[in-house]
Amino acid sequence: MDNAENVSPVSSTTIEKTAFTDSPLSDDGLDNPTGIQEKALLRKLDLRLLPAVTLLYLLSFLDRSNVANARLDGLTTDSNMTGNQYLTGLTLYFIAYVLFEIPCNIVLKKTSPQKWLPTLTLAWGVVATLMGVTQNMTGFFVVRFVLGITESGLFPGVVFYLSMWYKRNEQHYRIALFFSAASLAGAFGGILAYGIGFMKGVGSLDGWRWIFILEGILTVVVSLAAYRFITNYPATASFLSDSGRAYIHARLKNDSDATRDEAFSWRNVSQAFRDPKCWLYGLGFHTLSLPLYTLSLFLPTIIKELGYSAAQAQLLTVPPYACATCLTITVAVFSERFHLRAPFIMASACLAMVGYIILLSAPSAGVSYFGTILAASGIYPATAIVLSWLANNVSGQTKRATANAMQISIGNLGAVLGTQLYRSNDGPRYFLGHGFALGYLVANVIVVGTVATEQLNRWGEGAGL
């Protein structure tokens, strides 16, 4: 637990005594008179910070996308909803998500991660559980909208949170690993839905209700524990020694604004909205958000429409997500090793394009299923890198927190559109949905290429590309 009240914040006197402020820090710790090894410290931070926030995001993605699994088990039939009404419920989630992301990050800046992130998790866990007792279309609409509100602050909040711990060139890899929880949630979701589906009749409830109830309760339990395992910022981290906190303070001071005691101001918020760069990063995610969320929300249905049973479709969602998880981590490692972003984003997007071309053209179920694997394997790595790009290139704590939320909000407008594209009578080929996803991926390559070219012109080769 991050006992902030028991740990004194790092003072300027402490920093001066450790003699880190006036000289650059080497990677091997040779300029570190206290003997702290930077690599060992980073491993310690990774083990303490990344599993905690990654678990929360895994549960977040599981609770937002398990509706796709529940649909196969009879959600729409039991709730007396048509296919289009179900799509409207999905859309309402993203409308709420877009509207509340920026306010949620402002609250984070005014409070603390240890209070705000677990509270968000507790709130959406309760709402996700209530999905299991909805009785009609109206209840489904209300719960999906409130779920969007409660989940909206987690991802942009964690991206900002990590930027307060790691140097800019270290954040990309960590954010990509954090985002890999999204595809991992898809794999777990398929397995869990398959098993939970056999609970139909237990407590006189249908299997799809148990999917929401059990996964929602899991989130609530984890959220209560999160109040103890989520850490605040370095200056009050109880798991670090005084010299460790001082060293982190110094290395960040030489790299970014993370150590600045910046008070919240609306002027800094407005700076994000006036910076064209922030809008471009948002557009980069927007062109991936549509294929990302349409795949996560409709993959079970897409596979079922290829001719498989509902139970088979639940299990067949696992391989695409498993491949996506492996490639997300692999691409993140190589992107970090070569210090390149744009080429890996564009290459991953092109892989996903091949998948959608197969889905649009393949006549057989087996080949089409292979297309879903390629689509997932390209979308998730590309999205992970795009979402980490902004944190490396926007300065100012409040501006960066706002820009992070802007990027997700602008991006999720693509998801709002995407939720209306996979209509019930369009299967099994889903020309409209697959066609839009393919077009958006082409647009992503263009946008990312434009951003990379603009950065090369302004800062020279290697400046955050």
Side-chain angles (χ1 to χ4, degrees):
M1 179 179 179
D2 181 26
N3 296 312
E5 67 276 10
N6 298 324
V7 179
S8 300
V10 178
S11 66
S12 59
T13 302
T14 304
I15 301 299
E16 289 169 2
K17 287 181 179 179
T18 52
F20 298 139
T21 51
D22 297 326
S23 62
L25 298 172
S26 66
D27 290 338
D28 58 9
L30 293 177
D31 295 328
N32 176 6
T34 64
I36 293 177
Q37 294 295 320
E38 187 168 33
K39 291 182 179 179
L41 180 63
L42 283 174
R43 284 195 297 270
K44 185 175 184 178
L45 295 183
D46 290 342
L47 290 173
R48 182 59 186 253
L49 304 177
L50 294 183
V53 295
T54 301
L55 176 60
L56 296 188
Y57 191 59
L58 186 152
L59 294 173
S60 171
F61 218 88
L62 184 65
D63 288 333
R64 81 181 63 169
S65 59
N66 59 8
V67 66
N69 303 106
R71 184 187 190 187
L72 292 189
D73 276 354
L75 165 65
T76 53
T77 302
D78 294 344
S79 302
N80 297 314
M81 286 190 293
T82 65
N84 288 338
Q85 288 169 339
Y86 169 78
L87 298 184
T88 300
L90 301 184
T91 303
L92 287 171
Y93 169 90
F94 287 104
I95 291 175
Y97 202 107
V98 168
L99 291 175
F100 284 87
E101 278 176 301
I102 293 177
C104 279
N105 249 27
I106 290 174
V107 173
L108 172 63
K109 184 67 178 72
K110 294 173 73 70
T111 57
S112 70
Q114 190 182 49
K115 294 178 181 177
W116 183 236
L117 298 181
T119 300
L120 284 176
T121 308
L122 175 62
W124 92 61
V126 172
V127 175
T129 305
L130 293 176
M131 282 284 294
V133 297
T134 55
Q135 301 297 322
N136 50 43
M137 179 191 70
T138 302
F140 179 71
F141 284 0
V142 170
V143 175
R144 288 299 293 183
F145 186 83
V146 177
L147 184 66
I149 295 174
T150 53
E151 287 198 350
S152 63
L154 181 70
F155 191 92
V158 170
V159 171
F160 171 72
Y161 171 65
L162 293 178
S163 74
M164 302 296 286
W165 281 90
Y166 294 99
K167 292 164 65 174
R168 284 178 295 177
N169 64 351
E170 298 164 350
Q171 292 168 26
H172 152 258
Y173 177 59
R174 275 80 185 175
I175 293 173
L177 289 181
F178 162 67
F179 180 76
S180 69
S183 51
L184 195 60
F188 279 133
I191 296 172
L192 290 173
Y194 175 78
I196 295 173
F198 291 105
M199 293 183 64
K200 182 176 183 179
V202 176
S204 301
L205 296 177
D206 290 302
W208 67 266
R209 294 187 184 277
W210 282 114
I211 291 175
F212 291 126
I213 292 171
L214 293 180
E215 293 177 4
I217 290 174
L218 173 62
T219 299
V220 170
V221 172
V222 171
S223 73
L224 297 177
Y227 285 103
R228 299 189 62 82
F229 65 68
I230 292 294
T231 302
N232 275 331
Y233 300 120
T236 58
S238 60
F239 71 94
L240 295 171
S241 64
D242 288 342
S243 58
R245 288 193 294 274
Y247 185 66
I248 291 175
H249 181 102
R251 67 195 296 272
L252 292 178
K253 185 175 182 179
N254 287 339
D255 180 76
S256 68
D257 54 29
T259 61
R260 185 190 309 162
D261 186 15
E262 180 184 301
F264 172 83
S265 75
W266 289 104
R267 179 177 176 275
N268 292 334
V269 172
S270 68
Q271 285 180 351
F273 287 96
R274 297 197 304 268
D275 189 344
K277 181 167 72 255
C278 296
W279 293 94
L280 280 174
Y281 289 127
L283 189 58
F285 178 48
H286 176 87
T287 49
L288 287 171
S289 177
L290 185 147
L292 171 70
Y293 284 111
T294 52
L295 192 72
S296 64
L297 291 172
F298 296 104
L299 183 59
T301 301
I302 292 170
I303 294 175
K304 182 176 181 293
E305 289 295 313
L306 294 177
Y308 299 99
S309 68
Q312 289 173 329
Q314 302 282 30
L315 287 178
L316 286 173
T317 60
V318 176
Y321 288 124
C323 291
T325 301
C326 293
L327 270 180
T328 298
I329 296 172
T330 301
V331 170
V333 169
F334 281 100
S335 176
E336 178 69 12
R337 178 174 299 175
F338 294 106
H339 301 291
L340 293 172
R341 310 290 181 251
F344 286 98
I345 297 171
M346 292 188 287
S348 297
C350 288
L351 177 63
M353 286 183 215
V354 174
Y356 279 105
I357 291 171
I358 291 174
L359 283 167
L360 286 167
S361 59
S364 68
V367 177
S368 293
Y369 178 67
F370 178 66
T372 67
I373 295 176
L374 294 183
S377 298
I379 290 169
Y380 282 89
T383 305
I385 302 177
V386 162
L387 290 172
S388 68
W389 214 0
L390 180 147
N392 291 338
N393 294 291
V394 175
S395 60
Q397 294 175 15
T398 304
K399 179 183 177 181
R400 187 167 62 254
T402 305
N404 287 333
M406 279 178 60
Q407 182 187 37
I408 311 300
S409 295
I410 296 167
N412 281 334
L413 290 173
V416 172
L417 170 62
T419 53
Q420 293 296 318
L421 298 178
Y422 283 80
R423 300 172 298 192
S424 298
N425 57 352
D426 287 348
R429 302 295 286 277
Y430 293 104
F431 288 111
L432 180 64
H434 294 337
F436 258 89
L438 178 60
Y440 260 63
L441 289 165
V442 173
N444 176 259
V445 172
I446 296 172
V447 170
V448 171
T450 301
V451 173
T453 301
E454 189 269 344
Q455 288 186 344
L456 276 175
N457 291 336
R458 288 179 59 188
W459 299 307
E461 188 173 359
L465 296 185

